[in-house]
Amino acid sequence: MNLLKATGTIGGLTLASRVLGLLRDSLFARIVGAGFASDAFLVAFRLPNMFRALFAEGAFASAFVPMFNQKVSDPEGRGLSSGLDFAEAAFSVLLPTLVVMTVLLEVFAWPVTWALSGKFHGVTSDQFDFAVTLSRLTIPYLMLISLVSLLGGILNSLQKFWVNAAAPILLNLTLIVALLAFGSHNPLVTARNQALAVTVSGALQLAWVAHAAWRNGVSLRPRWPRLTPEVRKLMTLIWPAAAGAGAAQINLVVSTALAASLLDHGSVTYIYMADRLNQLPLGLIGIALGTVLLPTISRLLGAGDEAGAMDTQNRGLELALLLTLPATMGLVFCGEPIAAALFGYGRYNAADTHFTAQALACFSVGLPSYILVKVLTPGFYARHDTKTPVRFAMISIGANLVLNLALILPLHHMGPPLATALSSTLNVVMLYTTLVKRGHFVMDARLKRRWWRLALAALAMGGLLLAGEDRLMPYTHGAWYVRCGAMAALVGAGVCVYGVATVVLGAFTKADLALLKRRRA
């Protein structure tokens, strides 16, 4: 499989989803602003997102996909039929588990919301009851998106990457329609409608992937739940994988809870909006690479091609650095004009955009580490090792909590993002050194020659952006087309400088460029 092509397909669809997500967030900021209503909705939205990362996308991607691929590629098995038998057995256990979990979360929504928000800072009982109502409206999304993740994992294993990658677009479209059609001058009403739209989008995403699975010959029939040996093995892999894959989400939940309970209203919104901008390159690069690398490496290892798996991970790391380093420089040095251009409307005032840019700079310091986690963990999961990443994730979560408590009062809304970035960097260091010690990853000559040159090229780009930031700011407060033009100029200048710098510094040679042209032809 062509790693660049597959990553580009997923990355392109993820980019479309993230752009729509930014449009959604821009509309939300304009209509709702930064205050209790926005904080309450974002805490409620954090709940299904956290469990999706812990028990659905992360856990199933890391535990289910390698086992499904092993069944399909087993020469003594029945190919796809063996894989689908295993998937049906997993589905029959997953569905009732999700139903029970959803009911329990609905019943205990009050203490769950309290744990996620610390009952917020300075709110009345009626306001907190409103936040609990929003949580109850979003909780069913957990069950729906978990089923989406199961079917999406099967489609990814069949190399139908685009279907699952396109599903989140439906989430953003649904929320945008809800904002435009049911937005209100009362921020509380708009927040409630958004919470209901979250669950509606889950149903639409499930219908989308189920239809695509059926068209590709995948139709899971419910059975009586049985803990077969394969399902037992899957369960033993899922729980540690869930914690490992969800470390970043857990860190964000900790940050959100501390910000809601210790900081002024609006702080949760600043952190959320900054994280959304930070998620754009993370989704485009990290999630796309992780989605492609896991089935690819597991398939190569299943065929006994250790050298091919090593080369694939080297190229994944190289591609991650190529795309991540300039994105990091752009978000760190130009957060102010970016936040102003995207969110500086209506109820979201200049102070709100300034605080968002500060949080964004702190988040973006850790952008390379967020993405490298996605690149390095498949090296463990493809070998059915889910315990090592979860051990490192737990250490990272502990470090995040300590750093949050140390930084949140002196740095306010900048403390939690910086704590998240530093703890993620610690996680990457542990993952990388362990893979190297085990002999599962060796940096090849090509990567050794390029990584530091890419870093220098990104620094050159960052210097240019920093020098031109003040000149760009006046164009971030005009009409929408003026703002779009300013953002296009910013991105275009950065890409040109970075591209020239990579060639001048030798990160890419003429031979590399000639090869790229031949492939495109």
Side-chain angles (χ1 to χ4, degrees), residues 237-521:
L237 292 174
I238 280 178
W239 293 107
Q249 284 292 324
I250 294 174
N251 286 340
L252 283 172
V253 167
V254 170
S255 299
T256 300
L258 289 173
S261 59
L262 297 176
L263 301 179
D264 293 335
H265 291 171
S267 297
V268 170
T269 304
Y270 306 146
I271 292 172
Y272 171 83
M273 293 299 181
D275 180 54
R276 291 295 300 167
L277 289 171
N278 187 59
Q279 289 286 330
L280 183 61
L282 176 58
L284 177 62
I285 306 165
I287 295 175
L289 272 172
T291 302
V292 175
L293 285 173
L294 179 59
T296 304
I297 293 175
S298 62
R299 191 178 299 112
L300 290 169
L301 290 175
D305 188 1
E306 187 78 33
M310 184 84 70
D311 180 69
T312 297
Q313 199 152 18
N314 265 280
R315 301 290 71 77
L317 191 59
E318 179 184 339
L319 186 57
L321 292 174
L322 170 69
L323 300 174
T324 303
L325 294 176
T328 301
M329 294 297 104
L331 294 177
V332 169
F333 291 124
C334 285
E336 190 88 25
I338 292 173
L342 293 174
F343 304 133
Y345 295 87
R347 293 177 180 266
Y348 214 79
N349 57 40
D352 296 332
T353 59
H354 177 68
F355 295 148
T356 300
Q358 289 178 329
L360 174 60
C362 294
F363 264 131
S364 301
V365 169
L367 181 58
S369 65
Y370 307 143
I371 291 176
L372 291 180
V373 166
K374 302 290 185 182
V375 176
L376 295 175
T377 49
F380 294 92
Y381 295 144
R383 294 175 174 88
H384 303 289
D385 177 9
T386 58
K387 293 183 179 179
T388 300
V390 75
R391 186 170 72 250
F392 294 157
M394 292 299 101
I395 295 172
S396 170
I397 292 168
N400 179 64
L401 178 59
V402 172
L403 289 168
N404 258 290
L405 293 173
L407 298 175
I408 191 168
L409 291 180
L411 296 181
H412 303 286
H413 55 278
M414 295 182 287
L418 185 57
T420 300
L422 295 176
S423 60
S424 179
T425 302
L426 173 64
N427 193 12
V428 165
V429 170
M430 292 186 292
L431 290 169
Y432 178 81
T433 54
T434 301
L435 283 175
V436 171
K437 286 179 181 178
R438 293 178 177 179
H440 294 161
F441 181 78
V442 177
M443 190 182 296
D444 60 18
R446 175 172 160 179
L447 183 56
K448 287 179 180 178
R449 181 177 65 84
R450 286 184 172 173
W451 76 263
W452 63 272
R453 290 179 168 89
L454 292 172
L456 287 178
L459 285 172
M461 188 202 81
L464 173 76
L465 295 179
L466 183 61
E469 179 182 6
D470 291 340
R471 299 178 183 178
L472 191 66
M473 282 301 296
Y475 300 97
T476 62
H477 300 289
W480 67 267
Y481 54 86
V482 175
R483 299 178 187 226
C484 291
M487 290 298 97
L490 175 69
V491 174
V495 169
C496 289
V497 173
Y498 183 64
V500 171
T502 56
V503 175
V504 171
L505 292 170
F508 284 92
T509 64
K510 293 181 179 180
D512 296 325
L513 297 176
L515 179 61
L516 181 61
K517 288 180 180 179
R518 286 199 299 271
R519 285 180 177 176
R520 291 183 65 181

Side-chain angles (χ1 to χ4, degrees), residues 82-101:
S82 296
L84 293 180
D85 285 343
F86 167 64
E88 285 186 353
F91 171 71
S92 298
V93 173
L94 175 66
L95 182 59
T97 302
L98 289 172
V99 171
V100 171
M101 183 179 296

Side-chain angles (χ1 to χ4, degrees), residues 40-328:
F41 168 71
L42 296 175
V43 166
F45 195 29
R46 181 69 69 195
L47 179 69
N49 272 341
M50 179 186 70
F51 279 96
R52 179 194 64 190
L54 292 178
F55 300 109
E57 291 182 347
F60 261 95
S62 56
F64 174 80
V65 171
M67 292 185 68
F68 182 85
N69 276 334
Q70 191 176 44
K71 291 285 185 182
V72 173
S73 60
D74 187 355
E76 298 181 1
R78 294 177 288 112
L80 180 60
S81 296
S82 296
L84 293 180
D85 285 343
F86 167 64
E88 285 186 353
F91 171 71
S92 298
V93 173
L94 175 66
L95 182 59
T97 302
L98 289 172
V99 171
V100 171
M101 183 179 296
T102 301
V103 171
L104 288 175
L105 286 173
E106 290 284 357
V107 171
F108 295 103
W110 196 99
V112 169
T113 305
W114 185 92
L116 290 174
S117 66
K119 206 180 176 181
F120 293 97
H121 177 67
V123 302
T124 65
S125 296
D126 288 342
Q127 286 178 314
F128 186 74
D129 288 342
F130 174 77
V132 174
T133 299
L134 297 190
S135 295
R136 287 198 168 106
L137 290 174
T138 61
I139 283 171
Y141 182 78
L142 161 65
M143 179 175 68
L144 297 168
I145 203 63
S146 297
L147 297 175
V148 169
S149 299
L150 173 62
L151 292 172
I154 296 173
L155 291 169
N156 286 342
S157 297
L158 300 177
Q159 300 187 28
K160 305 296 181 182
F161 296 108
W162 72 274
V163 177
N164 198 35
I169 293 175
L170 293 173
L171 166 66
N172 292 315
L173 288 176
T174 304
L175 294 182
I176 289 171
V177 169
L179 280 169
L180 295 176
F182 304 106
S184 169
H185 293 295
N186 185 342
L188 297 177
V189 174
T190 303
R192 184 193 61 202
N193 292 339
Q194 285 289 280
L196 181 60
V198 168
T199 294
V200 172
S201 75
L204 294 175
Q205 290 178 77
L206 180 58
W208 164 259
V209 294
H211 177 69
W214 175 76
R215 287 178 61 89
N216 285 277
V218 177
S219 180
L220 300 184
R221 295 163 297 180
R223 307 174 180 175
W224 188 257
R226 289 180 58 245
L227 290 176
T228 64
E230 290 84 2
V231 173
R232 288 179 184 274
K233 182 180 179 180
L234 178 65
M235 297 294 288
T236 60
L237 292 174
I238 280 178
W239 293 107
Q249 284 292 324
I250 294 174
N251 286 340
L252 283 172
V253 167
V254 170
S255 299
T256 300
L258 289 173
S261 59
L262 297 176
L263 301 179
D264 293 335
H265 291 171
S267 297
V268 170
T269 304
Y270 306 146
I271 292 172
Y272 171 83
M273 293 299 181
D275 180 54
R276 291 295 300 167
L277 289 171
N278 187 59
Q279 289 286 330
L280 183 61
L282 176 58
L284 177 62
I285 306 165
I287 295 175
L289 272 172
T291 302
V292 175
L293 285 173
L294 179 59
T296 304
I297 293 175
S298 62
R299 191 178 299 112
L300 290 169
L301 290 175
D305 188 1
E306 187 78 33
M310 184 84 70
D311 180 69
T312 297
Q313 199 152 18
N314 265 280
R315 301 290 71 77
L317 191 59
E318 179 184 339
L319 186 57
L321 292 174
L322 170 69
L323 300 174
T324 303
L325 294 176
T328 301

